Amino acid sequence: EEFRDRITYVLAEMAIASGDETKIKQYLSEALSYSANNQLRADCYYLLAEMDYQDEDYINAKLYYDSTIAVMEKSDARYENAEKLARNLDAIAQNLEIIQLQDSLLKIGELPEDELLAYAKTVLKEQEESSVKGQAQPNHVPADDLILNHHRLSLDTTNSQDATFGQVDKRHKGI
């Protein structure tokens, strides 16, 4: 148990040698869950950030670079690079999140009413379950907003985008 984090990190290094990206990420995530050692955590976060950056997953790369600089010693040779990339990815990640939100909202707005109602019920059920557990789910649009806005879309075709998406976009960060 005492060396579980280091053993799992070594497994990640072995997966790197074999090129198995799925195993690499799995082992690095496991090592993070076992470790309180900031150096090992920084190594894991940095590798995950680099992998996501290479895969052009800029949102996750930004988050991992942020985590890297939070635990990495400033004297580490990689610190400056991680800090620069985190800063540079900030606007890119924000814009990608906005695009994902808008795409989700457009898809929801195009749903037939029966599918929209089914989706709304699913979201409402998830929110109720998470509130019972004491967890908020800020990335879900409340079901009543979806239903209300869908009806507004049906009724107001002259300004449907504002009626459907404007109010939701101001109050919620994602789907």
Side-chain angles (χ1 to χ4, degrees):
E1 291 286 327
E2 182 180 340
F3 298 104
R4 194 172 192 176
D5 58 347
R6 295 186 199 294
I7 292 168
T8 309
Y9 185 79
V10 170
L11 290 171
E13 288 179 327
M14 291 170 54
I16 290 170
S18 71
D20 187 346
E21 191 169 310
T22 303
K23 286 284 187 194
I24 298 167
K25 288 184 177 187
Q26 175 189 338
Y27 289 135
L28 290 173
S29 295
E30 285 180 29
L32 284 167
S33 70
Y34 301 136
S35 185
N37 177 315
N38 278 348
Q39 180 60 49
L40 183 67
R41 294 180 68 76
D43 292 342
C44 291
Y45 285 134
Y46 189 79
L47 286 171
L48 288 165
E50 290 286 297
M51 290 175 66
D52 283 340
Y53 184 81
Q54 289 174 4
D55 290 341
E56 298 180 3
D57 182 354
Y58 298 125
I59 294 171
N60 281 327
K62 159 76 171 118
L63 295 173
Y64 281 127
Y65 282 124
D66 285 343
S67 296
T68 300
I69 60 177
V71 296
M72 184 179 275
E73 295 289 326
K74 290 184 179 184
S75 60
D76 189 304
R78 302 167 297 174
Y79 184 87
E80 189 175 311
N81 184 55
E83 186 178 44
K84 180 181 97 179
L85 286 167
R87 194 173 45 251
N88 290 345
L89 288 173
D90 191 43
I92 293 169
Q94 286 178 4
N95 287 331
L96 288 172
E97 288 174 340
I98 290 168
I99 290 167
Q100 288 173 352
L101 169 66
Q102 295 300 322
D103 285 348
S104 296
L105 292 173
L106 287 170
K107 287 177 185 175
I108 290 170
E110 293 172 354
L111 289 175
E113 189 164 349
D114 59 330
E115 290 180 33
L116 179 67
L117 289 172
Y119 175 75
K121 288 177 184 177
T122 301
V123 171
L124 185 59
K125 182 180 177 187
E126 289 174 3
Q127 286 182 335
E128 288 170 352
E129 289 172 359
S130 68
S131 68
V132 167
K133 295 177 185 176
Q135 302 169 341
Q137 287 193 336
N139 291 337
H140 287 284
V141 176
D144 57 346
D145 280 355
L146 291 174
I147 294 167
L148 177 64
N149 287 324
H150 181 71
H151 288 294
R152 284 186 190 158
L153 176 64
S154 301
L155 298 173
D156 181 6
T157 57
T158 59
N159 198 8
S160 61
Q161 184 174 1
D162 291 339
T164 304
F165 303 120
Q167 180 182 12
V168 175
D169 191 30
K170 291 176 187 169
R171 295 187 0 217
H172 304 287
K173 293 185 179 183
I175 299 294

